[in-house]
């Protein structure tokens, strides 16, 4: 199976993108219209719905969700009905967004003919909404594995997209990407297009109250990985730095609180804002190796995305430090002091590890329950999948197969990266 991100030309160009030469090039900042806070989308009307209603002539909203958060989708449905929307709730979203599931969702969408698509759920639900939207608008596109970020989609001829996240982490409500799972290879297949930035996002923390602690930890760590990756990526800029650095400080302060007390409303609000800020940041810059390695690890060992990417934060920061000192900005944000940059980096790594421990997550692959034998047996696949992952393009330091294998072993043992 050839994926768009394996095209030879793109792969040859990729190392150029991961140099500091990318800095200073003109950049863009795409942001959906955001409503943030407990009244972003109130059940009895008002908030974001007042702004969306005049833009939808036929007032037909198709709400994509899954069974676990159907009651939250009903809240959104009730809110839309106050402005004369007819709604249909489709709760068949499956985890990891298999392409067959996208087709199924799109078929229901095509039947209903909405002029508003609403994704109410975590990252998978919002990604599914984006992908099904493509099939709905473009019946001529039948294979999502073939379209590249440069393929014109001409969306919005039929519907607009509103995202309502129910977890605080993926940032999909503000990004142009969707991560799908290929039916044939079972591999993660990210798709991206500037046209996939949602039109609206309702960032309402009441949609996350009661999220279980384990999910709070995993998704919160995903937000931290997005933000830290983004700061160190050569495609970052002053706008994305401002958002990512603020997100980092919010995660450090509020993730342990949200984890300990799921009903802590202030912590929920701040984590929801942090995830969206990190999403805008990396959505306009890049994620890097935490995500390449994490995607590969998560698929082989069936580990939650946020945990799989988050565990690599300390090790990748050490790996990048040979070519960038951007981690010093993260240290400044977290008020981490030191006489030398090396000292600051060591303390930052310590702080990240402390954060992981405070939310009961392990610091090593061994701590995740992976054995030495399992890691060795799967190493070839882990390395190939990591190097072929599109997030590798965003890395400030190009990585070889040998270095990639070493990074997995160092993360297995919890060793400081010294190469
Ligand atoms: Fe992520």
């Amino acid at each position: 199976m050839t994926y768009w991100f394996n095209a030879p030309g793109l792969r040859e160009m990729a190392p150029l993108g991961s140099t500091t030469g990318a800095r200073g090039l003109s950049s863009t900042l795409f942001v959906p219209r955001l409503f943030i806070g407990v009244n972003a989308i109130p059940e009895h009307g008002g908030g974001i719905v007042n702004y969306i209603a005049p833009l939808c002539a036929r007032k037909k909203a198709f709400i994509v969700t899954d069974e676990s958060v159907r009651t939250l989708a009903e809240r959104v449905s009730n809110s839309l009905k106050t402005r004369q929307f007819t709604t249909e709730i489709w709760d068949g979203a499956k985890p990891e967004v298999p392409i067959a599931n996208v087709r199924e969702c799109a078929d229901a969408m095509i039947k209903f003919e909405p002029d508003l698509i609403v994704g109410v759920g975590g990252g998978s639900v919002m990604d599914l909404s984006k992908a099904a939207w493509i099939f709905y608008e473009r019946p001529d596109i039948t294979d999502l594995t073939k379209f590249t970020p440069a393929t014109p989609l001409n969306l919005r001829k039929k519907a607009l997209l509103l995202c309502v996240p129910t977890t605080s982490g993926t940032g999909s409500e503000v990004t142009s990407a969707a991560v799908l799972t290929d039916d044939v290879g079972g591999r993660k297949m990210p798709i991206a297009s500037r046209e996939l930035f949602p039109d609206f996002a309702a960032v309402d923390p009441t949609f996350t109250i009661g999220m279980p602690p384990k999910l709070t930890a995993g998704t919160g760590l995903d937000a931290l990985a997005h933000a830290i990756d983004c700061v160190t990526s050569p495609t970052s800029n002053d706008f994305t730095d401002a958002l990512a650095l603020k997100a980092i400080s919010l995660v450090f302060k509020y993730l342990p609180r949200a984890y300990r007390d799921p009903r802590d409303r202030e912590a929920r609000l701040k984590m929801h804002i942090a995830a969206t800020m990190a999403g805008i940041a990396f959505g306009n810059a890049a994620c890097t190796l935490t995500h390449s390695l994490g995607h590969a690890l998560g698929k082989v060992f069936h580990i939650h995305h946020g945990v799989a990417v988050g565990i690599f934060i300390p090790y990748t920061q050490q790996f990048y430090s040979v070519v960038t000192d951007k981690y010093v900005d993260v240290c400044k944000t977290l008020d981490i002091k030191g006489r030398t940059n090396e000292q600051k980096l060591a303390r930052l790594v310590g702080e990240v590890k402390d954060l992981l421990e405070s939310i009961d997550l392990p610091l090593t692959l061994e701590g995740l329950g992976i054995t030495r034998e399992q890691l060795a047996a799967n190493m070839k696949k882990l390395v190939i999948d990591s190097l072929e992952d599109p997030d590798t393009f965003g890395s400030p330091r190009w990585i070889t197969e040998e270095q990639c294998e070493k990074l997995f072993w160092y993360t297995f043992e919890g060793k400081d990266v010294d190469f």
Side-chain angles (χ1 to χ4, degrees):
M1 171 68 70
T2 306
Y3 300 89
W4 64 266
F5 46 85
N6 287 336
L10 189 59
R11 297 208 69 79
E12 278 165 25
M13 292 293 288
L16 298 176
S18 64
T19 67
T20 49
R23 284 196 186 285
L25 296 179
S26 62
S27 50
T28 52
L29 193 78
F30 286 82
V31 185
R33 276 165 276 187
L34 296 174
F35 273 61
I36 300 158
V38 293
N39 288 319
I41 186 157
E43 188 161 8
H44 301 295
I48 201 166
V49 174
N50 282 351
Y51 289 82
I52 297 174
L55 302 174
C56 298
R58 292 184 296 110
K59 304 224 172 357
K60 289 186 78 175
F62 186 85
I63 302 173
V64 181
T65 192
D66 62 33
E67 282 174 6
S68 71
V69 289
R70 191 184 161 98
T71 49
L72 297 174
E74 282 163 4
R75 272 177 62 185
V76 174
S77 172
N78 291 339
S79 186
L80 288 163
K81 283 175 182 167
T82 64
R83 293 299 305 258
Q84 288 73 52
F85 273 89
T86 307
T87 65
E88 177 169 315
I89 299 176
W90 187 87
D91 64 4
K94 296 199 172 93
E96 314 296 330
V97 202
I99 289 184
N101 194 222
V102 178
R103 194 68 263 177
E104 209 183 337
C105 178
D107 287 346
M109 208 178 263
I110 289 164
K111 229 167 149 185
F112 185 70
E113 294 187 329
D115 57 356
L116 178 68
I117 295 162
V118 190
V120 182
S124 292
V125 167
M126 293 186 280
D127 288 358
L128 170 64
S129 310
K130 292 175 186 174
W133 185 30
I134 297 172
F135 280 149
Y136 172 54
E137 296 255 357
R138 292 286 307 273
D140 56 309
I141 294 180
T142 52
D143 186 355
L144 291 175
T145 63
K146 293 284 182 282
F147 103 81
T148 77
T151 309
L153 294 174
N154 296 314
L155 301 179
R156 299 176 173 79
K157 299 281 183 288
K158 296 180 180 172
L160 300 176
L161 177 66
L162 160 67
C163 282
V164 186
T166 61
T167 59
S168 305
T170 72
S172 183
E173 68 279 9
V174 286
T175 72
S176 61
V179 183
L180 319 179
T181 303
D182 192 341
D183 292 331
V184 184
R187 193 165 139 191
K188 293 282 184 194
M189 201 199 70
I191 58 170
S193 163
R194 282 185 177 177
E195 296 180 49
L196 286 177
F197 281 103
D199 297 283
F200 301 95
V203 184
D204 186 331
T206 62
F207 282 74
T208 69
I209 297 282
M211 192 186 1
K214 245 183 148 174
L215 189 58
T216 302
T219 50
L221 209 50
D222 189 23
L224 182 65
H226 294 155
I228 291 194
D229 272 13
C230 181
V231 170
T232 37
S233 167
T235 53
S236 61
N237 57 53
D238 289 331
F239 285 98
T240 58
D241 277 359
L243 290 160
L245 289 169
K246 181 67 184 179
I248 290 166
S249 71
L250 290 175
V251 171
F252 268 85
K253 186 166 177 189
Y254 292 102
L255 178 55
R257 268 177 57 178
Y259 175 73
R260 279 194 304 271
D261 178 6
R263 309 207 79 80
D264 182 332
R265 294 174 75 90
E266 187 191 15
R268 288 292 189 201
L269 171 65
K270 297 294 188 182
M271 279 307 299
H272 223 30
I273 289 171
T276 299
M277 284 180 139
I280 298 170
F282 90 85
N284 285 281
C287 267
T288 60
L289 291 177
T290 61
H291 273 65
S292 324
L293 303 175
H295 285 151
L297 185 80
K299 178 170 181 299
V300 169
F301 295 106
H302 308 290
I303 296 164
H304 180 270
H305 171 73
V307 176
V309 301
I311 203 159
F312 290 107
I313 294 173
Y315 308 96
T316 51
Q317 286 298 301
Q318 289 173 327
F319 178 69
Y320 301 149
S321 65
V322 174
V323 297
T324 177
D325 57 6
K326 277 296 285 290
Y327 61 86
V328 174
D329 291 355
V330 180
C331 293
K332 242 183 248 164
T333 295
L334 296 174
D335 202 23
I336 294 170
K337 296 193 170 61
R339 275 184 296 107
T340 62
N341 282 356
E342 289 71 29
Q343 215 172 56
K344 287 177 191 167
L345 177 65
R347 286 176 184 161
L348 171 62
V349 165
E351 291 281 337
V352 174
K353 289 182 175 175
D354 287 350
L355 178 71
L356 283 163
E357 280 184 327
S358 77
I359 53 174
D360 299 323
L361 287 177
L363 308 177
T364 65
L365 299 187
E366 194 171 24
L368 278 176
I370 298 168
T371 65
R372 189 173 287 277
E373 293 69 31
Q374 286 171 328
L375 187 62
N378 288 287
M379 187 55 79
K380 202 167 173 209
K381 181 170 176 44
L382 290 169
V383 169
I384 290 172
D385 284 0
S386 299
L387 293 185
E388 288 190 352
D389 191 282
D391 285 322
T392 300
F393 298 166
S395 173
R397 183 178 174 192
W398 197 242
I399 186 168
T400 64
E401 280 187 28
E402 193 194 0
Q403 288 168 335
C404 189
E405 183 169 344
K406 268 172 105 176
L407 263 184
F408 274 110
W409 281 120
Y410 274 51
T411 310
F412 177 81
E413 290 168 2
K415 256 171 87 174
D416 285 332
V417 175
D418 54 4
F419 55 91

